[in-house]
Amino acid sequence: MSSAASLTSEHLGISFGGHKAVDDVSCAFHAGELTVVVGPNGAGKTTWFNLISGQLTPTTGRILLGDREITRLSPSARAKAGIGRAFQLTNLFPRLTVLENVRLAVQAREGQGPRLFVKASALSHLTDEAMSYLEAARLGAVAHLPAAALPHGDQRKLEVALLLAMEPKIFMFDEPTAGMSLDEAPVILELIGEIKKDTSRTVLLVEHKMDVVRALADRIVVLHNGQLVADGAPADVMKLELVREIYLGTGAEEVA
Amino acid sequence: MSLAVEQTGAPRQLPMGRLLVYGTVGLIALALLFAPFLFPDVRSQEVAARICVFIVLAASFDLLIGYTGIVSFAHTMFFGLGAYGTAIALKQFGASFTSIALGGGAGVLAALVLAALIGLLSLRVKAIFFAMVTLAAASVMLVLASQLSEFTGGEDGLTYSIPRLFSPATELIADAEGKAVKLFGVALNGKIALYYFVFSSSLALFAVMLRIVASPLGRVLKAIRENEMRAEAIGYRVVGYRTAVFCIAAVIAALAGILRAVWLKYTGPEVALSFDIMIDILLIVVIGGMGTMWGAVIGVVLMTLASYYLKDLMALGAEATASIPLLPDLLNPDRWLLWLGVGFILLVYFFPSGLVGTLMDRDARAGK
């Protein structure tokens, strides 16, 4: 570990009625690094993400953002501290417009939410900022539709646009291309590539697709049955017998 | 949402639903503004004043259920706190504006504290448990109001006098003979002053609520209604926002209670605290359209007119159809609740998002 870690998972674990969904996972992440988390279904990847972004509270271990312990913070406090999370199942504000979805994220980051006696429509810089994130996510043309009216691929893009609008230090993507068509997925990957260019950012990505992993990963972490079983450079991790077994297994499922 | 639709600027049909809603609300506002001159009889005055107060009460409930998705059964409790505070002070300390300010202020403060307590203790739990907690609190308050009869007058309630300025015997502008000057044949007496006190206070409170729903906070409330978990994940402290809006709505309801108490010169469980009122405002918001504000206006007018005038209308109908078998029986004024019920079912069936909600949705779809 050359530089100080931007995010640390220390002996992190959670049990659901005796079943250890995440079991003593220790791992440190660094700015400028994109880490892909792989593992078969049920390995605990999403649960681990939920522990880090605060949707679940761990039964063991600590989470550090830089030097600051955030283990007991609420999800909103973690979001303000710089942890941004995109979700595996599309998780938007369905009856609000695409623009309003992103505007809400901008408004939250700028701390304008509690303002009571100013007209929201008068804060045009929020709208302008929101539009710029939508343009980046190639959603400018559908800004005025309700989020629920978008096709699945566009909803995934909106999910990424929301994350961009939060301007976090830690970007967490949970299968951002899941269920997307082949011609749509590259837009998302391009966006993630863009995010990665800024070396002050730390990117965590759960992904199954082999080509995605090869194209983006600086480092691969493998989870299996809730435990961290491998961690290293992509070329090294891919070679491991255990990884080939569990990971190529899921890879084959993906193809089918 | 509306902002975004307007920005498209593409040629499209006139927003008929929107025009219809704003037109109706405009007419209602004009009718209420000139109510003492348009409908000078005593009963119409009662109806107009009740409409003013209930628009505030229903709209503040809409802040909770329509905008934020909070189901509360304690809204009339806050209304009652404002009303009883005012009533007890007027009874104990005499008919003065100081009594109204002190008693009403105490009622509003009690509503605020209680709302903050209920909110912080239980807005973390699931919606259904929160609804139960509010139901329990409201029941306790009803029992207290009837048990502490020394202060509250129990089931009979309290009758009291109000400041002289609001008495029908007071001339606002006296002519040479010392009688109240008449305008359009209506004497400008204290009753008029009282009506405009109720009207302008209600208007101001409604304007405040319109401002709130158009503010950044209003946007957050909608986000919480749509997806609580994601609102939290992008950085909004959901419990805090929920508690805040619960307190705001409680304070506004208590202020409406003050108006009700001053207008009626009577406060009792029936008019300020009962679950009948709770059900009324729930129906009003559902019929008018949740999360629209204007729905509260139209819903209150419909409900109030129906409950005051449906019987009269039916009596007329029964007379007119006297020669036809069965119909006069069906139209007998005693069966007015039956027809009110039929009306509700039809409204909910044809306007699933409420009158205002459905009309505006239609525009949004036509605009695409």
Side-chain angles (χ1 to χ4, degrees), chain B residues 71 73 126-138:
Chain B
V71 181
F73 293 108
K126 284 210 172 75
I128 180 77
F129 296 116
F130 179 74
M132 292 298 127
V133 169
T134 59
L135 197 58

Side-chain angles (χ1 to χ4, degrees), chain B:
Chain B
M1 270 185 281
S2 58
L3 170 94
V5 175
E6 277 151 26
Q7 278 174 350
T8 56
R12 58 190 180 90
Q13 284 175 298
L14 269 176
M16 285 311 291
R18 204 163 283 267
L19 286 178
L20 197 61
V21 168
Y22 292 146
T24 314
V25 170
L27 278 179
I28 292 170
L30 282 177
L32 289 174
L33 176 60
F34 296 114
F37 304 103
L38 293 172
F39 322 103
D41 65 291
V42 174
R43 188 152 177 247
S44 303
Q45 299 273 296
E46 290 300 324
V47 173
R50 185 182 189 271
I51 287 176
C52 288
V53 173
F54 270 66
I55 284 175
V56 175
L57 186 59
S60 62
F61 189 60
D62 193 25
L63 277 183
L64 296 181
I65 196 165
Y67 281 87
T68 326
I70 296 174
V71 181
S72 158
F73 293 108
H75 214 58
T76 43
M77 173 177 84
F78 299 124
F79 183 62
L81 279 170
Y84 269 102
T86 314
I88 292 169
L90 282 171
K91 184 96 182 168
Q92 305 279 341
F93 310 127
S96 71
F97 282 102
T98 323
S99 302
I100 297 179
L102 284 180
V108 170
L109 192 68
L112 178 66
V113 170
L114 207 54
L117 276 177
I118 295 178
L120 285 174
L121 288 178
S122 49
L123 274 169
R124 286 167 199 279
V125 298
K126 284 210 172 75
I128 180 77
F129 296 116
F130 179 74
M132 292 298 127
V133 169
T134 59
L135 197 58
S139 306
V140 169
M141 198 56 75
L142 253 181
V143 172
L144 278 180
S146 72
Q147 292 301 307
L148 297 172
S149 50
E150 228 168 283
F151 300 101
T152 63
E155 294 296 323
D156 296 334
L158 294 167
T159 28
Y160 41 85
S161 30
I162 54 174
R164 252 193 65 78
L165 173 65
F166 292 153
S167 149
T170 305
E171 302 93 17
L172 294 180
I173 310 169
D175 58 15
E177 293 151 41
K179 284 191 175 173
V181 169
K182 290 196 172 191
L183 189 66
F184 304 116
V186 180
L188 296 181
N189 60 21
K191 190 80 180 171
I192 303 272
L194 177 54
Y195 177 78
Y196 281 107
F197 168 69
V198 171
F199 174 81
S200 53
S201 309
S202 302
L203 190 67
L205 288 172
F206 189 73
V208 166
M209 285 187 275
L210 280 181
R211 201 67 207 247
I212 290 173
V213 298
S215 73
L217 183 107
R219 306 276 180 116
V220 180
L221 299 183
K222 281 189 194 172
I224 291 172
R225 176 192 72 196
E226 291 293 306
N227 189 342
E228 179 189 331
M229 180 263 203
R230 191 59 192 262
E232 178 81 30
I234 60 175
Y236 293 116
R237 206 168 152 258
V238 170
V239 182
Y241 280 95
R242 277 203 177 138
T243 307
V245 73
F246 192 60
C247 290
I248 292 172
V251 165
I252 294 174
L255 289 169
I258 299 178
L259 297 180
R260 188 84 179 131
V262 174
W263 172 265
L264 280 180
K265 300 191 236 34
Y266 163 78
T267 295
E270 284 281 292
V271 297
L273 210 54
S274 74
F275 280 108
D276 290 354
I277 303 175
M278 194 60 238
I279 290 169
D280 266 6
I281 57 174
L282 188 63
L283 280 174
I284 284 165
V285 172
V286 169
I287 286 169
M290 290 199 280
T292 60
M293 280 292 133
W294 306 116
V297 178
I298 292 174
V300 168
V301 171
L302 266 184
M303 276 285 285
T304 311
L305 291 186
S307 61
Y308 274 81
Y309 294 111
L310 192 60
K311 275 184 177 174
D312 301 1
L313 204 67
M314 286 176 62
L316 284 178
E319 259 174 55
T321 55
S323 54
I324 309 169
L326 197 64
L327 260 183
D329 289 335
L330 272 176
L331 290 175
N332 189 314
D334 291 345
R335 301 209 167 70
W336 74 284
L337 270 174
L338 170 76
W339 289 105
L340 198 63
V342 171
F344 286 153
I345 293 169
L346 290 177
L347 271 175
V348 171
Y349 186 79
F350 288 108
F351 296 90
S353 323
L355 283 167
V356 171
T358 308
L359 285 171
M360 291 202 170
D361 280 357
R362 195 172 296 167
D363 280 355
R365 247 175 281 136
K368 249 187 255 168

